[in-house]
Amino acid sequence: MSSDADAVERLTAAWGRVEAWLRAHAPASAALLRPAASAADIAAAETAMGVEFPAPLAAWYRIHDGVGEGHGAGFLPSDTVMLPLEEMADEYRTHVQDWEREEGLLPLTGTTGDVWSGWYVDAREGESSYGCLGQWSVDGGDEPYPADGGWPLADWLGEIAAALEEGRCLHRPDGADDTHDWPVLTGREGLTWVDPRDPRLVPKG
């Protein structure tokens, strides 16, 4: 099996676990999953951005074209929303043209409500971080996550599935815990991720 096929298989299995968990425990979030993107939709997004998607990223969009707006949309770590292809292309143009960021870093998610930061996937073929996760922000630039090279998308989703199933924070591939990101169910049956040290979460007094 080729490395691409293996990564796609792992992503599909990992996402199946995440989606099953959402449907069982966070139906408000599950209800916002958009229909699958077609091959033509993905090709149009690639053309608009001038970048070919890594195989696992394309496979994820063939399952769902991102997430719609509503309560529980930010069910990915750091309270972020998987952007529909059209929104990804618009965000990418902003990054490359307006912010003069490096080409090939595809903004996969954005924070709920403002889209000032999020996760990207590295689509720069030939780079050691190709197909891996990174963080982008308006003020902070673009950085691999973890900083020593990034996190393959399929592996990240697999760890998200494990964290949800076990009720814990993410365990990064470098061995550290993502202690600022814990999955939490809202009172309206949505999933979000919070930093338990955030003073806004501590009742006054």
Side-chain angles (χ1 to χ4, degrees), residues 47-148:
T47 299
M49 292 184 280
V51 180
E52 184 175 349
F53 284 10
L57 181 62
W60 196 5
Y61 276 96
R62 287 196 298 269
I63 301 171
H64 291 290
D65 183 11
V67 176
E69 296 182 1
H71 177 77
F75 61 75
L76 291 174
S78 299
D79 187 30
T80 63
V81 180
M82 181 185 179
L83 300 178
L85 287 171
E86 186 175 351
E87 292 183 28
M88 176 197 276
D90 288 343
E91 189 69 34
Y92 182 76
R93 280 190 289 268
T94 298
H95 289 208
V96 173
Q97 296 176 9
D98 297 348
W99 302 350
E100 300 182 340
R101 298 287 176 82
E102 184 170 356
E103 296 180 1
L105 304 179
L106 307 183
L108 171 65
T109 78
T111 43
T112 56
D114 55 24
V115 196
W116 287 102
S117 62
W119 302 103
Y120 70 75
V121 172
D122 192 336
R124 300 172 299 171
E125 291 192 60
E127 295 290 334
S128 61
S129 54
Y130 177 76
C132 289
L133 199 70
Q135 291 181 316
W136 67 266
S137 68
V138 176
D139 300 324
D142 304 314
E143 296 291 340
Y145 189 85
D148 60 358

Side-chain angles (χ1 to χ4, degrees), residues 27 78 160 175 177 187 205:
S78 299
I160 290 172
D177 287 346

Side-chain angles (χ1 to χ4, degrees), residues 13-38:
W15 175 250
R17 292 165 60 197
V18 172
E19 186 166 342
W21 193 96
L22 290 175
R23 295 195 183 283
H25 301 284
S29 294
L32 299 177
L33 293 167
R34 289 164 51 92
S38 67

